[in-house]
Amino acid sequence: MTEILLIMFTAVLVENFVFTRFLGICPFLGVSEKPDTALGMGFAVVFVMTLASAATNLIYNLILVPFELKYLKTIAFILVIASLVQLIEMFLRKYVPALYGALGIYLPLITTNCAVLGAALLSVESDYNFIKSVAFGFSAAVGFTLAIVIFAGVRERVAVANPPRSFEGIPIALVTAGLIAMAFSGFSSINLGI
Amino acid sequence: MDLSNIIWAFVWFTALGVVLGAVLALASKIFAVKVDPRVEAIVDALPAANCGGCGYTGCAALAEAIARGDAAVNACTAGGVETAKAIADIMGLPVVAPNRMRAQVMCSGTHGKAKLKYKYDGPADCNAAMRLAGGDKLCPNGCIGHGTCVAACKFNAIEIKDDIAVVDYNRCTGCGVCVQSCPKKVIKLIPYESDHWVSCNSLDNGKTTRSYCDVGCIACRLCEKACEYDAIHVKDNLAEIDYSKCTSCGKCVLKCPRKIILHSRDPRAKTA
């Protein structure tokens, strides 16, 4: 139990996907102009990443390991994640229209999100079992949500500021992201012994 | 690596692909959602600007409302007659063309003409300037000129010229998003064909208006007397044209001592 909590704490703060591992930067910059859309994207990532971690862990342990196909894990995971997202999208559209309305436009964006693939690959590399990898996927996604919401809040302020002309738009956003990443690097001094 | 390894990889990945493909194909049948085919047709007919002028969140939302019968076929003001016709065809309803309107900034207080309270040096946004004592201009109702409407306009029809916003009415579709965005409520919608408008929004009396603006309406009523068609009236210290009566004869334009009844050919009404 303690180990799972440690994994979760590490994934959210110490090794935040966006700020420490630099995964999922594309949606991080693309969907972070307003805090509420950022939150929507964050929830969609939490949803998909938790399920994808479970699915990829099963595929890895039941098919890839017994048949010595570990070297093909990247391809297998992409295949599984993409189909999973498609399936979730169709399912939500039919049975949970409210959730589909809230997450619908973000789901296709996540299909090829490197953060989702990253969570699957990293949990395999760390030899996590099923429960640990689900916990890892979930908390990594929570870390992503935290990062994108904080960033969106800052960006909303930056949008009305007057930066030098050549810094307007994406350049100032990148500088801001760098500063937040530096703040997050403060967590890396916490040694949890794992 | 021996041959069996390659064969197993081939077998498993083929199986994985086939199974996942089959699951998806099956799911698309099981989870199929019936969509009104008219919705898609209407979405295609709409301008896809997602301006929000219709009061819905975007073109897709409006299309659904039209297909349900909750919105009129001419609800899209930005699309104009052509769009209304196309949608009426899809819905099988008679065509009702919308009244085409255009946005007009009712202010002439350009740089130097409208006096300032202080020098504003904050974010380029009218709402931000509003918070600092209602903007930098002394006039409580004039255009602040920091471009909140420029940012709101989906059709690039507004630009800031000499400290006030100017609408390019070749581009304006009359969607009215700028009217809602303006914190001073200085932008108004007027009929597209109308030639004249009173380019002022000041509700103060003549003396007060004169104290802070060289080109504000002073409610002298000369236009009211000049009009032969009873089409212009001073109400709340501001002249207002009744477009149902105005014939665009231009007599009021000549009489106005402040030269603020503008004609669409007036250089002040043109974007740079």
Side-chain angles (χ1 to χ4, degrees):
Chain A
M1 193 61 210
T2 336
E3 205 181 337
I4 290 178
L5 280 177
L6 280 177
I7 288 171
M8 293 179 81
F9 183 78
T10 312
V12 175
L13 293 174
V14 183
E15 295 195 334
N16 186 288
F17 259 45
V18 175
F19 294 132
T20 313
R21 296 195 191 268
F22 304 111
L23 289 169
I25 297 294
C26 170
F28 175 69
L29 288 172
V31 206
S32 60
E33 289 192 345
K34 283 184 195 147
D36 36 338
T37 52
L39 202 62
M41 181 71 187
F43 279 134
V45 170
V46 171
F47 196 72
V48 169
M49 224 146 130
T50 312
L51 288 174
S53 297
T56 49
N57 188 274
L58 288 180
I59 294 278
Y60 185 78
N61 285 327
L62 297 182
I63 298 177
L64 300 188
V65 172
F67 292 91
E68 289 181 1
L69 298 171
K70 284 190 221 168
Y71 62 98
L72 288 171
K73 58 180 184 285
T74 311
I75 296 170
F77 288 176
I78 289 176
L79 200 64
V80 171
I81 292 168
S83 341
L84 184 73
V85 174
Q86 286 285 311
L87 200 66
I88 293 170
E89 194 183 349
M90 284 189 273
F91 178 80
L92 287 184
R93 195 166 178 197
K94 174 88 175 176
Y95 293 109
V96 203
L99 200 59
Y100 179 76
L103 306 181
I105 50 168
Y106 306 112
L107 283 174
L109 286 176
I110 301 169
T111 315
T112 50
N113 187 342
C114 60
V116 183
L117 183 64
L121 290 175
L122 286 169
S123 73
V124 160
E125 266 171 32
S126 319
D127 279 332
Y128 288 156
N129 62 19
F130 183 73
I131 295 173
K132 277 183 195 167
S133 70
V134 171
F136 177 71
F138 172 76
S139 42
V142 170
F144 175 85
T145 310
L146 181 74
I148 198 171
V149 171
I150 290 176
F151 186 53
V154 177
R155 247 184 123 171
E156 209 176 37
R157 293 290 189 93
V158 172
V160 290
N162 279 332
R165 205 178 163 75
S166 49
F167 274 97
E168 273 172 20
I170 288 291
I172 195 81
L174 286 169
V175 173
T176 319
L179 289 173
I180 304 175
M182 267 158 71
F184 261 75
S185 72
F187 287 114
S188 65
S189 60
I190 303 173
N191 189 353
L192 296 168
I194 50 168
Chain B
M1 185 190 287
D2 57 80
L3 198 65
S4 73
N5 219 333
I6 297 173
I7 292 170
W8 275 122
F10 179 78
V11 168
W12 272 111
F13 273 77
T14 314
L16 206 60
V18 169
V19 168
L20 288 174
V23 167
L24 281 185
L26 206 66
S28 72
K29 285 273 188 287
I30 298 171
F31 301 140
V33 179
K34 272 191 192 145
V35 183
D36 193 336
R38 291 179 301 182
V39 173
E40 214 163 299
I42 296 171
V43 169
D44 288 342
L46 288 169
N50 291 318
C51 67
C54 53
Y56 290 89
T57 46
C59 292
L62 176 65
E64 271 174 33
I66 293 176
R68 274 200 312 270
D70 290 350
V73 289
N74 62 359
C76 179
T77 46
V81 185
E82 289 303 309
T83 306
K85 262 187 204 157
I87 296 173
D89 271 354
I90 297 163
M91 294 294 291
L93 292 171
V95 186
V96 195
N99 278 333
R100 187 164 180 197
M101 305 291 271
R102 64 184 168 89
Q104 189 62 57
V105 182
M106 299 298 187
C107 183
S108 312
T110 49
H111 185 74
K113 287 191 176 145
K115 294 184 180 59
L116 302 180
K117 286 180 231 181
Y118 61 88
K119 191 173 176 297
Y120 180 76
D121 192 22
D125 179 78
C126 300
N127 289 306
M130 263 301 265
R131 294 201 167 174
L132 286 171
D136 52 356
K137 281 174 185 164
L138 273 163
C139 177
N141 299 304
C143 174
I144 306 179
H146 291 305
T148 294
C149 52
V150 177
C153 183
K154 291 278 178 7
F155 303 96
N156 291 329
I158 311 180
E159 62 180 62
I160 300 295
K161 188 184 165 195
D162 223 3
D163 278 359
I164 59 169
V166 181
V167 179
D168 177 353
Y169 38 89
N170 290 321
R171 289 187 182 167
C172 180
T173 60
C175 69
V177 167
C178 53
V179 176
Q180 286 157 26
S181 77
C182 179
K184 289 286 193 187
K185 301 288 163 227
V186 66
I187 310 179
K188 288 181 181 143
L189 289 177
I190 63 175
Y192 190 80
E193 288 79 17
S194 53
D195 274 335
H196 298 92
W197 64 92
V198 182
S199 188
C200 182
N201 197 35
S202 169
L203 301 174
D204 286 320
N205 62 31
K207 193 174 169 233
T208 317
T209 304
R210 221 184 261 275
S211 72
Y212 55 64
C213 184
D214 293 343
V215 284
C217 177
I218 51 173
C220 65
R221 294 177 191 272
L222 283 177
C223 50
E224 210 175 287
K225 285 168 199 149
C227 185
E228 293 168 14
Y229 304 94
D230 192 36
I232 186 163
H233 293 283
V234 174
K235 201 180 134 205
D236 292 336
N237 294 315
L238 179 64
E240 202 182 313
I241 295 176
D242 178 351
Y243 289 102
S244 61
K245 292 177 183 165
C246 178
T247 60
S248 298
C249 67
K251 291 224 167 94
C252 53
V253 179
L254 300 173
K255 277 286 178 202
C256 180
R258 311 288 273 179
K259 304 280 175 240
I260 52 166
I261 302 181
L262 297 193
H263 186 273
S264 41
R265 284 190 295 277
D266 193 297
R268 283 178 285 175
K270 294 226 159 61
T271 50

